[in-house]
């Protein structure tokens, strides 16, 4: 290969020692190539080429030194390079663009910071509701891929986005949420305030009110709350007032009786508070 087609790097102070810094070397009368490749450390780090023009390349040698013969090259077009995290006499164990194992001069390689963990941590079900706390309307709360700062950001939550679906429990202080764009991730719980759970939907059907009830062991001034479903988790819709009789279902659902409120709405109240006086 002619000298014009090779990189002639500035050899810094190393030139005096006869080292060839990364890049293609000028034509040289080198010692006979060493055929045995040096043992390679694990390539657990990532590099990109530095001080290498797009039109040029970096030579990869069979071992960590100029006495080893070239076996391939690295180019800027090839993207990032897997390499050893430590050097051997200034050389980094790498793979060529064609996938061969070799060594490149570390002066022309710049280590890239390790990327954030990419694995998604499975989150619990998002059955609770939150609103943002301590977050200004002009700011946002980052959502990360997992429960920790080491995970990369994947989205954000804003006050303008309204309430947020999230996990009812935390993992190391982090809450599983959905971003404003609907992606699942994790947000730091300090900036989320849990909102009371929404009431479940009312049952689609209600038993017929074929029996008659009155209050059990309550004076004429008492009252009972009536809910739109058989349980206190449902929305209150009215009351039953003591001192009279009222229509109710002849069967119970989870210990609750379907009744009519004092204003005529159909709902549910606890059976243990009622005495059936007519019907089956």
């Amino acid at each position: 290969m002619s000298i014009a087609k090779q990189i002639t790097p500035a050899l810094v102070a190393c030139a005096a020692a006869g080292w060839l810094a990364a890049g293609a070397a000028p034509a040289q009368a080198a010692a006979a190539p060493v055929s045995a490749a040096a043992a390679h450390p694990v390539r657990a780090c990532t590099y990109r080429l530095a001080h290498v023009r797009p039109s040029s390349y970096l030579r990869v040698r069979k071992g960590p030194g100029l006495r080893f013969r070239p076996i391939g090259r690295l180019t800027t077009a090839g993207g990032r390079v897997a390499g050893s995290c430590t050097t051997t006499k200034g050389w980094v164990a790498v793979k060529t663009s064609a996938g061969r194992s070799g060594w490149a001069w570390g002066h022309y390689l710049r280590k890239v910071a390790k990327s954030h963990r990419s694995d998604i941590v499975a989150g619990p079900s998002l059955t609770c509701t939150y609103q943002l706390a301590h977050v200004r309307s002009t700011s946002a709360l980052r959502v990360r891929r997992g429960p920790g700062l080491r995970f990369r950001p994947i989205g954000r939550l804003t006050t303008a986005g309204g309430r947020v679906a999230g996990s009812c429990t935390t993992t190391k202080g982090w809450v599983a949420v959905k971003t404003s764009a609907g992606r699942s991730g994790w947000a730091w719980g300090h900036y989320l305030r849990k909102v009371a759970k929404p009431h479940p939907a009312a049952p689609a059907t209600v038993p017929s009110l074929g029996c008659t009830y009155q209050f059990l062991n309550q004076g004429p001034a008492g009252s009972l709350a009536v809910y739109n479903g058989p349980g206190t988790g449902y929305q209150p819709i009215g009351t039953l007032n003591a001192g009279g009789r009222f229509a109710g279902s002849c069967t119970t659902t989870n210990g609750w009786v379907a009744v009519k409120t004092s204003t005529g709405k159909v709902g549910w109240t606890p059976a243990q508070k009622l005495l059936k006086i007519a019907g089956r």
Side-chain angles (χ1 to χ4, degrees):
M1 179 180 291
S2 66
I3 295 178
K5 292 185 178 180
Q6 301 178 34
I7 298 176
T8 307
L11 300 185
V12 198
C14 301
W19 291 356
L20 175 62
Q28 55 189 342
V34 179
S35 59
H40 286 265
V42 176
R43 291 181 293 272
C45 284
T46 304
Y47 294 84
R48 63 179 178 84
L49 268 62
H51 316 300
V52 177
R53 294 189 304 274
S55 59
S56 192
Y57 58 87
L58 172 62
R59 275 185 174 166
V60 177
R61 296 179 178 271
K62 198 171 185 71
L66 290 177
R67 68 185 186 279
F68 293 91
R69 65 182 179 85
I71 61 168
R73 58 181 63 181
L74 299 174
T75 63
T76 56
R80 295 186 174 182
V81 180
S84 57
C85 295
T86 58
T87 61
T88 299
K89 298 179 181 179
W91 294 76
V92 178
V94 296
K95 275 196 174 182
T96 68
S97 303
R100 295 188 65 184
S101 296
W103 298 78
W105 178 235
H107 175 71
Y108 290 90
L109 293 171
R110 181 167 297 165
K111 190 180 292 185
V112 179
K114 287 186 177 180
S115 61
H116 296 284
R117 290 183 59 177
S118 60
D119 52 314
I120 299 176
V121 175
S125 58
L126 311 183
T127 55
C128 282
T129 305
Y130 294 83
Q131 63 184 23
L132 268 63
H134 317 298
V135 177
R136 297 190 303 273
S137 57
T138 56
S139 189
L141 175 60
R142 278 185 174 174
V143 177
R144 296 181 177 271
R145 203 171 178 91
L149 292 174
R150 69 184 183 278
F151 294 91
R152 67 179 180 87
I154 60 169
R156 56 179 58 193
L157 300 173
T158 63
T159 55
R163 295 187 173 181
V164 180
S167 58
C168 294
T169 58
T170 61
T171 299
K172 298 178 181 178
W174 293 76
V175 178
V177 296
K178 280 198 173 181
T179 68
S180 302
R183 295 187 66 185
S184 296
W186 298 76
W188 181 235
H190 173 73
Y191 294 97
L192 294 170
R193 180 171 298 160
K194 190 181 291 185
V195 180
K197 287 185 180 180
H199 298 294
T205 59
V206 177
S208 61
L209 309 184
C211 289
T212 303
Y213 293 85
Q214 67 181 29
F215 276 25
L216 176 64
N217 301 326
Q218 288 199 26
S223 65
L224 283 176
V226 178
Y227 299 84
N228 69 349
T232 56
Y234 291 87
Q235 183 178 359
I237 59 172
T239 58
L240 284 175
N241 296 323
R245 297 180 178 183
F246 43 86
S249 59
C250 295
T251 58
T252 62
T253 300
N254 297 327
W256 290 68
V257 174
V259 295
K260 275 193 177 182
T261 69
S262 302
T263 58
K265 291 183 178 180
V266 177
W268 302 76
T269 200
Q272 62 182 357
K273 303 288 186 179
L274 303 176
L275 175 63
K276 186 188 295 185
I277 59 175
R280 293 184 179 180

